[in-house]
Amino acid sequence: VFNIGSGKNYSVNEIADMVSKKHPRIHTEPRIEPRENLADIGKAKRDLKWSPKMNIKKWIQSQV
């Protein structure tokens, strides 16, 4: 099993800001979820010689 991620943690609010800068966000009641969810990509880097090639913020901005 390999965790794949960027190695950087983003909040839901940060992702929402990246996706929609033109429209105001609608806030709902908070849900019970982990405050942080950061994939440990060390095993993939070590065993597969893998590392992320795309910055998620730049990718999202190129798509919207």
Side-chain angles (χ1 to χ4, degrees), residues 9-64:
N9 193 45
Y10 292 96
S11 71
V12 171
N13 287 328
E14 288 172 311
I15 297 291
D17 286 341
M18 290 178 209
V19 172
S20 182
K21 292 191 181 267
K22 297 176 186 176
H23 305 285
R25 286 191 272 148
I26 298 170
H27 293 274
T28 62
E29 292 297 317
R31 294 175 18 174
I32 299 173
E33 294 184 7
R35 297 297 275 168
E36 292 189 9
N37 185 10
L38 182 60
D40 178 2
I41 60 175
K43 185 177 176 186
K45 283 183 169 184
R46 182 186 66 244
D47 295 354
L48 302 176
K49 308 294 187 251
W50 178 90
S51 63
K53 294 180 181 172
M54 178 63 71
N55 174 298
I56 190 147
K57 186 174 183 177
K58 290 179 182 177
W59 181 81
I60 288 172
Q61 289 172 344
S62 74
Q63 302 299 308
V64 294

